[in-house]
Amino acid sequence: MMRSVSQPEGVQSATVARITVHINHRLSHKLYDSLKELNVGRFFVEPSRMVLLQEKKRRSRLFARVLSLDENPAERISFCLPTDRVSQVATSLVQEFRFDLAGRGSLYIEHVTSYSPGRSTVHDSDEQSNEEAPSTASLDGFRTGLTGMTFILSNPDAGNQVAKTALELGVCVPYISLGVGTGIRDQLGLLRVTIPAEKEIVELVAPDHDAEGLLRLIVDECRLNQPGRGFAYLYPIHSAALSPRLRIGRQEHAASIEQIIGAIDELRGETRWRTRFATAGEQSDQADSLKRDEREVSLICSEGHSDSYVATASRIGVRGATTSKIRALGTDADADAAPVGVVAHERTTMIVSASLVESLVQGIVKDGLFEAENTGRIEITDVTAAYSYRRKR
Amino acid sequence: MPRTRRQVQIPHRAALSLVVGYVSRKLVDQLRSVAFIVGYLLVFQLFILRIPIANAVVLAIGLALSVLGLALFLEGLVLGLMPLGEFIGLRLPERTVLPVILAFGVVLGLSATFAEPAIAALRAAGSAVVPWDSPLLFALLHRYADYLVATIATGVGVAVGLGMLRFAYGLSIKPFVFGFTLILVTLTLIAALDPSLREIIGIAWDSGGVTTGPVTVPLVLALGIGVARSYGSTESPTSGFGVVMLASAAPIVAVFLLSMVLAPTVPRLDSREAFLSTENSEQARQLFASDAQFESFIDTLHEDTAETSLGIGDTLLGYLWSSARAVLLLTGGFLLVLLILVRERVRRRDEILLGIVLSIVGLTLLGGGIELGLARLGDDVGRRLPVAFSSMELPERQVRIRDFDTGVVQQAITPDGRSVEFFYLAESNEFQPVPFYPQRLHPYSSDYLHIPERSAVFGGRWTTLGQVLILLFAFGMGYGATLAEPALRALGRTVEQLTVGTFRSDTLIRTVSVGVGVGLSMGMARILWDIPLPALLIPPYLLLLPLTAFSAEEFAAIAWDSAGVTTGPVTVPLVVAMGLGVGGVVGVSDGFGVLALASVYPILAVTITGIALRRHQHLIMHEDEKQGTA
């Protein structure tokens, strides 16, 4: 579990549950309404795409099956809740949106340390102290023992390449969103325009015991072990309701392989039976290139303001950041259901060495994240392993 | 405030390699986008119409400049103009009140029309209009040209203001679509039934398409996306679209209304003789802004004015002026708003400045390159296109036969008993019968001017096949030219980003291009068979009403916006050349209406694609029910 960071003055921190929902775009407005009804406070929305494998009808005997990627509009919605409310909200969403049906979406829950200004639902109703461990009770109908995998990729269309590999390996339904990278590129002066800043961010969820193996496999398959291709990291997921169907179109059997695996998981009550990789230490030299003591720091602020915080991070020693455009919807809990003032927001994600987290938070707070905008917040979560290209010596 | 970052110095060699890689990527992209239209026109010219290429070097320079211009202009849009527009759109609602935003929208619309004057394109399409056939149309293009520009500007201004209002209150685009369509259909029907207004239907509809130029569209699009994101009232990531559609529709209404006001004041002189007669001189002068304009027009009637062809340097200089005016006037307005209302430093100022410079240089090279290359090629093919079904004279191959002996002229008789004269011309050991025209014989020197004729590719009973060939040509040309339109590329890129790649830029560009191709074919059909414009325009618009009602909000806005981006710097010169070429042969004096048809079919194409995608999404969500596993 994360070490706590000393709390800057005037800032409230707490360990909370972050719920991320990837939802089919056609259901997104219904989800907004449900979140407002459930009184989750402010939630952040960004467009994404859900990628599935589509098996087309066989056209001739020569080409027995045609597999292509099917891209569908989706939205990534995230919000934080006190851990004692997670069960009620998550269960209600799963029941209403039936994530167990194909093409609807997925939901997962993480524990994060959240820093935010003033009074808010999340922190006010959180009775736990900063040091108290969050509730880890598993939720009915949710899968546990999972790890989140995020790939931040530089090349156009690399997102689909990772998604296809993940789908073919039967990992889960991948969701891709967009971001803009800042880092070394911004220190090149005007020459930076020659390097595309756009990034594709792929999010996957895999069983704990397979996550590193899958990471290595995807890194190899998608050549992330080449300079400038991108990086990836793993983080713990408390529980999740994942979309069951990775493949659409012609089905030759009564149940898909994902449905069979899901059923066995449920019978055995665990996922370790399907370990397919040796432990990380026994594998290739990439295991050595994984960094262990890292944190994911997510910074949310109104759009156009993240530059100064990223500059501060860069001064402190953070090598790069990825910023995505998001919208802040919902209501402020203590504002009598008045809508959020500024809708356009940004989420900046940085992978930071644990030793830098404290000075980073202090620096950003000193820069006025919580003074200038009452919607600013920082969320920090553990990173169990991070991979990025390192030049061989 | 962002702190200054430390700069990293990289070796010159590495920097050069980065720049070379970047430039070559951009050039290859644009080379691909123009390859189709260039190849298509060349194949048509060389192998179907069999016309040799004149000035191949200038043509090649023109094409190279077009590719370079497109690459620079698009990069300028992406680096400078669009981020600036989006930033201001994002900040305005935070920093100021709605009336100020509406006023800014109106001023932006007004200045867009003056920055990118559509009147030049309209005048080109109406260059063959004569005052005795279409007096109101002629007066609009000459005496009331300033009124026309001001009316179009007001239309665009009101439209951008309406667009901002829509974002502020999160209103759907659909009521605007239905409202404008019904108003436009009604106005068109009223005009079609009134003989004095019938002639302006084409120009009214075309004025909608040509107002939205290559600088205005991306700026307005970016501004709309910024404002919509800031208000966020519709809670949809793609709610920033729709302003371009309004900016295309409102000027049409405005031009119809102007024409209705002016129609009673315009004198009608029904023939060339009546127009030129001295007793009608006073009335004829009323069609012109000044006596000098009238005299100059009379002079052009009596002598053939040869088009003066400018050199490459002069052409580029002319385009530099118009490009700088368009970009600086529009971005200047944005920068003023930034300083006065937003009062905030824009992100990456150096990139925005570079973008503005690249836009000006790119637009200059693009305009010059198109005039020297693609337009010339299009003009050659467009003006010769009627040879597909009708024989044509080839004046550039004319020969002066010295001391022509009229004794060689012989008589022949036509099936209806008419007597015609001809003589044998010996060329390259071949004897060819050639018709004799006495008026080509010089009265004093006895020189005879022989202008060779090219027989129709599909003549006689195959004429219809020749006309179908023209429709096919129009389709391919519309498709190919639209693939290279910069404003469409900017729209495609924005759509792809906002939909996170679920609606790919290529899909949108190809769909719109197919629509433009179909629209141009319809336009040619109108000219060839003299079909009334309302008969071709109204049915697709009426069909669009239920389709729009059925389609998703975001696709409706994108589809209707795509109408405004189709008529840009690549398509317009080619369409005008083709319209005039075919119109001249079949006796239709104006090429109006073709651009309007080239706008409506892309809306139809994108709407249908949107409905298909939506249906697909529905099927994905109900896959389990379909498989019976739920």
Side-chain angles (χ1 to χ4, degrees), chain B residues 97-330:
Chain B
V97 290
L98 183 61
V100 176
I101 299 174
L102 296 186
F104 172 63
V106 173
V107 173
L108 172 68
L110 285 168
S111 52
T113 312
F114 293 106
E116 295 189 283
I119 191 75
L122 294 178
R123 273 204 174 131
S127 60
V129 171
V130 284
W132 48 90
D133 279 346
S134 317
L136 179 58
L137 181 55
F138 189 85
L140 274 179
L141 290 169
H142 294 85
R143 175 165 186 178
Y144 299 115
D146 291 344
Y147 286 36
L148 183 66
V149 174
T151 307
I152 292 173
T154 312
V156 180
V158 169
V160 179
L162 270 179
M164 297 300 125
L165 196 70
R166 189 173 86 78
F167 295 140
Y169 290 105
L171 304 173
S172 160
I173 187 75
K174 292 180 184 180
F176 290 89
V177 166
F178 300 144
F180 269 111
T181 306
L182 292 176
I183 292 171
L184 285 173
V185 167
T186 311
L187 287 173
T188 307
L189 288 175
I190 292 171
L193 296 172
D194 183 342
S196 64
L197 284 174
R198 203 172 292 151
E199 67 211 45
I200 59 88
I201 296 176
I203 195 175
W205 279 90
D206 277 4
S207 62
V210 292
T211 45
T212 41
V215 182
T216 310
V217 168
L219 263 179
V220 165
L221 200 63
L223 179 80
I225 284 161
V227 172
R229 267 181 67 71
S230 193
Y231 279 120
S233 22
T234 59
E235 296 182 344
S236 166
T238 50
S239 56
F241 298 100
V243 187
V244 179
M245 172 263 156
L246 295 171
S248 301
I252 310 179
V253 177
V255 173
F256 266 122
L257 296 179
L258 174 76
S259 306
M260 285 172 178
V261 172
L262 292 179
T265 67
V266 174
R268 304 200 75 82
L269 300 161
D270 292 334
S271 66
R272 182 187 167 109
E273 289 69 34
F275 178 81
L276 292 174
S277 72
T278 44
E279 62 264 32
N280 291 331
S281 165
E282 202 50 45
Q283 281 183 299
R285 280 169 201 273
Q286 285 178 27
L287 298 171
F288 296 86
S290 64
D291 283 352
Q293 202 183 47
F294 174 68
E295 305 296 342
S296 147
F297 179 76
I298 296 293
D299 288 345
T300 57
L301 284 180
H302 294 303
E303 56 193 61
D304 283 340
T305 44
E307 278 181 31
T308 47
S309 170
L310 296 173
I312 296 177
D314 291 333
T315 307
L316 289 180
L317 215 59
Y319 278 101
L320 178 62
W321 160 241
S322 61
S323 310
R325 181 185 57 190
V327 174
L328 293 179
L329 203 64
L330 287 167

Side-chain angles (χ1 to χ4, degrees), chain B residues 14-28:
Chain B
L16 187 70
S17 134
L18 276 176
V19 173
V20 169
Y22 164 74
V23 171
S24 57
R25 272 197 312 274
K26 303 290 166 191
L27 285 179
V28 167

